[in-house]
Amino acid sequence: MTAISVSGLVKTFGTTRALDGLDLDVATGEVHGFLGPNGSGKSTTIRVLLGLLRPDSGSVRLLDGDPWRDAVALHRRLAYVPGDVTLWPNISGGESIDLLGRLRGGLDPRRRAELLDRFDLDPRKKARTYSKGNRQKVALVAALASDAELLVLDEPTSGLDPLMEAVFQECIREARTEGRTVLLSSHILAEAEALCDRVSIIRHGATVQSGSLDELRHLTRTAITVETARPATGLDALAGVHDLRQENGRLRFDVDTDALDGALRHLTGFGVVGLTSTPPTLEELFLRHYGDELAEDGASAREPVRS
Amino acid sequence: MSTQLSGASARPAAPARPGRSSTTAGTAALFRFALRRDRLRLPVWVAAGTAMVALQSVSSQSFYDTPGALAAYRASVGSNAATIALAGPPVGLDTVAGAVAFEISATVMLIAALMAMFTVTRHTRADEEAGRTELVRSARIGRHAPLLAAVLLSALACAALAVAVGSAATATGLPAAGSFVLGASFGACGLVFTGITAVAVQVTGHTRSVYGLVGGAFAVFFVLRAIGDIEGNWLVWTSPIGWAQATHPYSRDELLPLLLCLVAAVALTVAGFALLDRRDLGAGLTQPRPGRPAATRSLRSPLGLAVRLQRGAFLAWALGLALLGVVYGALADSVETLIAGNEQALAMFGDPDVGELVDAYLSTTFSITALLAAAYAVSAVLRARSEEGEQRAEPVLATATSRSAWLGSHVAVALAGSALAMAASGVTTGVVRVLQTGEAAALGRMVGAAVAYVPAVWVVAGLAVALFGLLPRLATALAWAAVGLFLVITMFAGSFDWPGWVSDLSPVSWVPLMPLEPWTAGPVLALTGIAVALLATGFAGFRRRDLATG
Ligand SMILES: Nc1ncnc2c1ncn2[C@@H]1O[C@H](COP(=O)(O)OP(=O)(O)OP(=O)(O)O)[C@@H](O)[C@H]1O
Ligand SMILES: [Mg+2]
């Protein structure tokens, strides 16, 4: 059961190739993180999924429909929080929530009241007098108060304070328990780690990694710091060990997840006195992909080849 | 300009100077930046105004090439209240140069006023609304600097318009002194509207409302001077447009009235600064009141939203056109007196039927009202464009709202609103005529004459929709350019005998001149057909294209 299935999606704006063969699969009922650096094409992908932009090529299916052709029917079943929430200056937050809810096909008044309370939002203010975070909350309440089976959220927590971020995470967990599907684009890795079943990382409009967090962790390295009774030798000859260095009599290195077992067996031969291991974080994975990009940056001006 | 130089001392290293001068710190830098942002825009405004004068000069000189032609022109214009209402005081019509000034000055005054309004607003309220001023003011920029830079830029543009018009008119063979007086009158009018805009941008927090206030001020001043010119009384002196036209270029070359403009411009600008000190950044003079905690039943559909967003503008336009209908109706009486007292006119028309001449006057006024209604319709259609460009269409189109329903609601407001506004002006003119003549049938005739223009108004609205669907990024500029073209054609093609094909370019010219001429079905069917085709093109284009994002 897939809620979203995108393959080989290409979208150009004049000479800008915003999406360049992007793939994305979101299973029904999962919370899917959609990660990528600024300008990598997250919002563009989401707008194609909403039928606001027409793809140049590639196949896009959303809730078993064609997002361009069946836009209206599909939109009854989803709710969207845009990345940049702009509201009507003279219409109050409460009115905007009601309007967007009704245009979708109705919203639950009990849930609306409860969400206003949890997000601590004053619905009487006119949109132009809301702070950025409060504008974001208006869009969030409108989306979460709906009974949509799919939530499409483009950086929904930008501008929220940590307290509200926690409320948001709670709401997403509830949505998941209710069996809803969530596509969550984000820059906040802690948020993605806390919420997502699976993530897709994109860069330059193409998917570079996709899978469950466990699978992705598998692709990263664990950082090990070890103190041994006798000087440990021969580690550098092992495959999968990187960045080996000596610090204050301790040995530090990074090891690929599949080489972890071998490395530890090797170390026990020297009498392990102390050991700390830092599990791989999503951040590391992310930085590895972003880091490549930073390194590539100088070259990419002359050489527009994607990795 | 001395303040501008004092602003130049705002170097990064210089410590903040206390006192008055620091509130204008950075004006020079902002002025240069604004000049750079407008390096294309302002020359286009100045060139447009100058070209209008040059073209008018060349065409009038070939048209009134004999004394007889000029005399006939003088006779017809001197008795035509509608022309006087639109153009200005019928003074100096014994020379071709005087005729040129009479024919073109109202249009270029409008151009100067719009140039001033857009320039000042763009660099003050529009920047502030978009949050750019906040960023700028956080640098070493004084509180008054953005407004001062904007006013100086607009003043520079007005001066450029004055010099360019003077030079161009002289170059086409008109007397130099009068040409520069004519140019100066446009510049002075622009300066007054610079001051009016400087006040308006303080009063309201929205760019859109600034345009409403300044446009309303122009309309009021234009009507005041129109009444004054027709009645030949003091009312012209209540209007800055009247002051600027009181220079009477090429006949009297009076410069004193321009002093009035200058004083008003300075006083208004000073008032603008005083108001600026009394409000918060980003706000108008009044704090917004809290709104409803929940939406009413009416806000449940795309049409409900479009009506909610557009009702204020509709009411303002409808009220404006209804009042204009009152004024036009009230002036119909003066038309009779004017003709009866003008022997030349009586001679020229043989033994004119005064009633017919009044009808001719009324039919001209309705064509002007129709163009204003078309301008309203275009602004209502373009609301869809600004909703799209400011990213407010996106959340709506991500709901179960189809593109046709969303665009259709704004278009419905534009079509129904412009028809209602047209009818309102017919009703008010009709009621005034009934009171004047005691003839109850006048009401129906006036409403009929006004409503007959509705298909033509809808063609203009349809053109805006087609542009929105096909060329979204150019739609605003092109649609307003079309309205401007139609306005110029309707105002002047009839009065000044431009060739027929020129006047046929405007859909308004297709409509029979009711109540003078009888109603015919042909033009109505043709116009309705064109309107439907344009609307269909626009909707099809919008359904097919990407939504503009960012
Ligand atoms: N309407 C448009 N016209 C031209 N280029 C566009 C348009 N929309 C997006 N782009 C370009 O497409 C690319 C992808 O933009 P997109 O907004 O999808 O990035 P993003 O991943 O959402 O970035 P962010 O994290 O900053 O929100 C960028 O290079 C952007 O400049
Ligand atoms: Mg984005």
Side-chain angles (χ1 to χ4, degrees), chain B residues 59-135:
Chain B
S59 74
S60 294
Q61 288 181 58
S62 73
F63 204 75
Y64 310 124
D65 52 351
T66 62
L70 197 58
Y73 170 70
R74 199 158 60 237
S76 76
V77 163
S79 66
N80 190 332
T83 306
I84 292 173
L86 290 175
V91 173
L93 297 181
D94 43 1
T95 63
V96 176
V100 171
F102 173 73
E103 292 180 4
I104 205 64
S105 83
T107 310
V108 186
M109 299 270 177
L110 176 64
I111 291 178
L114 289 177
M115 174 178 80
M117 175 181 87
F118 285 122
T119 305
V120 174
T121 310
R122 194 169 135 75
H123 297 288
T124 54
R125 182 52 74 182
D127 273 355
E128 206 168 318
E129 204 175 16
R132 287 186 289 266
T133 308
E134 195 172 335
L135 198 64

Side-chain angles (χ1 to χ4, degrees), chain A residues 179-194:
Chain A
R180 305 206 221 181
T181 311
V182 181
L183 178 66
L184 172 70
S185 117
S186 179
H187 286 296
I188 306 170
L189 297 159
E191 177 179 284
E193 283 202 284

Side-chain angles (χ1 to χ4, degrees), chain A residues 11-13 47 50-54 68 71-72 75-76 78 80 82-84 86-96 98-100 102-105 112 116 123-126 128-129, chain B residues 125 129 205-206 282-283 288-302 305 308-309 383 387 390-392 394-403 543-547 549:
Chain A
K11 176 71 197 174
T12 54
F13 297 104
R47 288 185 176 123
L50 293 170
L52 300 171
L53 298 177
R54 196 210 265 278
W68 180 267
V72 172
H75 291 175
R76 277 184 219 289
L78 63 83
Y80 168 54
D84 217 344
T86 48
L87 299 165
W88 299 277
N90 282 323
I91 293 185
S92 74
E95 286 177 303
S96 296
D98 288 343
L99 172 71
L100 292 172
R102 289 168 181 177
L103 291 179
R104 255 205 69 258
R112 174 189 186 274
L116 283 178
R124 297 169 54 90
K125 281 196 163 189
K126 301 269 178 76
R128 60 179 279 116
T129 60
Chain B
R125 182 52 74 182
E129 204 175 16
H206 303 283
R289 277 165 295 142
R292 294 173 191 281
T296 57
R297 294 183 57 79
S298 60
L299 198 60
R300 63 183 317 119
S301 62
L305 176 62
R308 169 73 184 270
L309 293 176
R383 184 66 202 250
E387 286 289 297
E390 288 158 29
Q391 314 286 300
R392 286 189 294 260
E394 189 176 306
V396 174
L397 290 173
T399 67
T401 303
S402 70
R403 291 193 179 202
R543 270 201 306 273
R544 243 158 251 159
R545 71 172 168 84
D546 282 348
L547 196 69
T549 55

Side-chain angles (χ1 to χ4, degrees), chain B residues 58-403:
Chain B
V58 172
S59 74
S60 294
Q61 288 181 58
S62 73
F63 204 75
Y64 310 124
D65 52 351
T66 62
L70 197 58
Y73 170 70
R74 199 158 60 237
S76 76
V77 163
S79 66
N80 190 332
T83 306
I84 292 173
L86 290 175
V91 173
L93 297 181
D94 43 1
T95 63
V96 176
V100 171
F102 173 73
E103 292 180 4
I104 205 64
S105 83
T107 310
V108 186
M109 299 270 177
L110 176 64
I111 291 178
L114 289 177
M115 174 178 80
M117 175 181 87
F118 285 122
T119 305
V120 174
T121 310
R122 194 169 135 75
H123 297 288
T124 54
R125 182 52 74 182
D127 273 355
E128 206 168 318
E129 204 175 16
R132 287 186 289 266
T133 308
E134 195 172 335
L135 198 64
V136 166
R137 279 271 306 278
S138 65
R140 285 194 31 77
I141 298 289
R143 186 170 71 246
H144 292 158
L147 179 59
L148 184 58
V151 166
L152 290 175
L153 181 68
S154 178
L156 177 73
C158 292
L161 177 67
V163 172
V165 165
S167 314
T170 311
T172 57
L174 303 183
S179 297
F180 281 93
V181 172
L182 182 67
S185 73
F186 301 150
C189 176
L191 284 180
V192 176
F193 280 90
T194 302
I196 291 174
T197 313
V199 170
V201 293
Q202 315 307 328
V203 172
T204 157
H206 303 283
T207 307
R208 214 183 293 279
S209 328
V210 171
Y211 296 154
L213 285 178
V214 179
F218 187 91
V220 167
F221 287 134
F222 199 85
V223 167
L224 286 173
R225 71 127 278 285
I227 301 174
D229 280 329
I230 292 175
E231 308 263 350
N233 66 16
W234 54 272
L235 269 176
V236 283
W237 294 101
T238 60
S239 160
I241 305 167
W243 306 338
Q245 289 188 330
T247 50
H248 301 310
Y250 303 111
S251 50
R252 298 187 202 147
D253 287 344
E254 299 257 19
L255 284 175
L256 222 52
L258 296 187
L259 203 61
L260 273 175
C261 294
L262 217 57
V263 170
V266 171
L268 285 162
T269 306
V270 169
F273 283 109
L275 293 175
L276 175 63
D277 289 336
R278 277 173 186 68
R279 68 176 183 90
D280 295 330
L281 185 67
L285 284 182
T286 54
Q287 288 296 326
R289 277 165 295 142
R292 294 173 191 281
T296 57
R297 294 183 57 79
S298 60
L299 198 60
R300 63 183 317 119
S301 62
L303 185 62
L305 176 62
V307 168
R308 169 73 184 270
L309 293 176
Q310 299 219 28
R311 68 185 174 195
F314 164 71
L315 287 175
W317 277 90
L319 194 69
L321 291 194
L323 287 178
L324 196 63
V326 172
V327 173
Y328 281 150
L331 285 176
D333 257 357
S334 313
V335 175
E336 292 178 33
T337 346
L338 205 62
I339 296 163
N342 186 327
E343 276 165 36
Q344 258 174 330
L346 288 172
M348 203 181 96
F349 292 117
D351 188 15
D353 175 349
V354 176
E356 229 171 63
L357 288 175
V358 171
D359 279 354
Y361 154 82
L362 286 170
S363 59
T364 313
T365 63
F366 281 128
S367 65
I368 296 302
T369 311
L371 276 155
L372 293 174
Y376 160 68
V378 165
S379 76
V381 169
L382 289 176
R383 184 66 202 250
R385 175 63 199 141
S386 61
E387 286 289 297
E388 182 190 11
E390 288 158 29
Q391 314 286 300
R392 286 189 294 260
E394 189 176 306
V396 174
L397 290 173
T399 67
T401 303
S402 70
R403 291 193 179 202

Side-chain angles (χ1 to χ4, degrees), chain A residues 13-14 16-19 36-45 47 53 154-155 185 187 202, chain B residues 473 547-550:
Chain A
F13 297 104
T16 316
R17 216 169 159 82
L19 299 180
N38 292 131
S40 54
K42 301 182 296 295
S43 300
T44 305
T45 307
R47 288 185 176 123
L53 298 177
D154 192 355
E155 294 184 40
S185 117
H187 286 296
I202 69 165
Chain B
R473 293 193 189 273
L547 196 69
T549 55

